Amino acid sequence: MTDLSAAHDDAVTDRTRLAGSAYNGDRDLVARQSLYRWQTPRYDLPGLVAERLGGVRGRVVDIGCGNGKFIQRLRQDRPDLSLLGLDIASGILADVPGPVAVADATRLPLAAGSVDAALALHMLYHVPDIPQAVRELARVVARDGLVVASTNSDRDKAELDDLWQRAAGEVLGVDRGPARISLSARFSLEKAPAFLGEEFSRVEVVELPGIIRVHDPEPVIAHMASYRAWADQHDVPFDATIDRARTLVADHIARHGAYEITCLGGILVCSR
């Protein structure tokens, strides 16, 4: 691992940064979630998760529940379930329908075998010790229970990585600037099955490919700007790079009619 990637890993997993800046509210998370409005095909991710829990009865815990998008859907679709939301960032829990608690994924405040399913959706890449978090998932879920995780591919939104390097290069006066930080790289769709397979004998990967097509730069720029909590990790003036990216996207739309981003995320359904 290079010094740069080690520094990025530390930044992606730093609890003070996560709780105090990145997720002290849900503005930036909403900006990242909102970009998918322009994706084809449209995936109803909360609906897909609810569907996977069709055979589950009893208690479900959403670990790293964020702004409660999945809990809200489950409360609507599955009022029979007993739901608990956990997150390390107290600020983002403010509007999540309770019960909720502040908790660390590597030290869950739950008894062994006490839940019938656990969700770990787009969050395990933020955990410093991923194998320990997976062990905790296995510990708290009943023997016949389910774990549903989600993440993005290493190839997800490659166009935004290229856009960032082009914009950063123009700001710095070089051909291409430094790469932007990747949040999901530590637990990507390619790496996740090996981590989860240490504790679960069956790991089903459901890939969710799509194309985002926008006719206005702002959804793309809001998504890129949502990485502001990691601005110090980019080795380039963050706001200037965002502004330059806006101009590049606007120019592309003027020439081609739209700006396209290739997406690949997925869910992983784990059982013993």
Side-chain angles (χ1 to χ4, degrees):
M1 182 183 286
T2 65
D3 289 345
L4 180 60
S5 61
H8 281 189
D9 282 0
D10 288 346
V12 167
T13 60
D14 178 63
R15 183 167 183 160
T16 301
R17 189 188 301 255
L18 294 173
S21 177
Y23 299 106
N24 62 341
D26 75 344
R27 182 193 63 181
D28 291 339
L29 179 58
V30 167
R32 290 197 285 280
Q33 292 169 339
S34 296
L35 186 61
Y36 292 97
R37 289 180 197 162
W38 288 272
Q39 179 173 293
T40 306
R42 285 285 296 274
Y43 296 105
D44 174 13
L45 196 53
L48 289 174
V49 170
E51 199 177 288
R52 288 291 171 160
L53 298 180
V56 172
R57 301 290 179 270
R59 299 185 71 200
V60 176
V61 61
D62 185 353
I63 300 158
C65 67
N67 57 3
K69 186 176 168 185
F70 294 91
I71 286 179
Q72 286 166 6
R73 181 58 172 272
L74 286 171
R75 288 208 181 285
Q76 174 188 310
D77 290 7
R78 294 292 308 278
D80 58 301
L81 293 174
S82 173
L83 301 171
L84 171 64
L86 302 177
D87 205 285
I88 62 164
S90 59
I92 208 166
L93 292 172
D95 297 319
V96 180
V100 296
V102 175
D104 188 318
T106 61
R107 296 189 302 277
L108 294 172
L110 299 167
S114 63
V115 300
D116 300 285
L119 308 180
L121 303 168
H122 280 79
M123 54 73 62
L124 281 168
Y125 41 74
H126 283 313
V127 178
D129 188 343
I130 295 171
Q132 173 59 20
V134 173
R135 286 192 291 272
E136 278 291 88
L137 288 168
R139 181 184 68 79
V140 302
V141 172
R143 290 295 307 172
D144 59 348
L146 278 186
V147 168
V148 182
S150 66
T151 188
N152 291 325
S153 166
D154 288 324
R155 306 191 304 280
D156 180 63
K157 302 184 190 72
E159 294 86 354
L160 293 190
D161 296 328
D162 180 66
L163 173 63
W164 181 270
Q165 289 190 278
R166 285 180 60 206
E170 293 189 14
V171 168
L172 296 173
V174 297
D175 182 40
R176 288 176 74 75
R180 71 182 189 135
I181 197 167
S182 169
L183 298 186
S184 56
R186 301 175 61 250
F187 184 80
S188 65
L189 205 54
E190 291 78 8
K191 298 183 179 95
F195 281 117
L196 295 165
E198 289 293 318
E199 296 291 335
F200 299 95
S201 58
R202 178 171 167 76
V203 179
E204 178 192 358
V205 180
V206 182
E207 292 193 351
L208 303 171
I211 302 287
I212 289 171
R213 185 177 290 106
V214 297
H215 302 280
D216 180 318
E218 289 315 309
V220 173
I221 299 310
H223 184 282
M224 296 185 89
S226 75
Y227 285 71
R228 184 174 304 281
W230 294 278
D232 63 312
Q233 296 295 309
H234 288 89
D235 298 320
V236 65
F238 188 79
D239 290 325
T241 304
I242 292 290
D243 287 344
R244 187 61 201 150
R246 179 182 284 107
T247 301
L248 290 171
V249 175
D251 290 349
H252 184 98
I253 291 170
R255 287 198 313 275
H256 303 283
Y259 187 82
E260 293 188 352
I261 302 163
T262 309
C263 297
L264 180 55
I267 61 174
L268 303 103
V269 184
C270 314
S271 59
R272 295 184 177 90

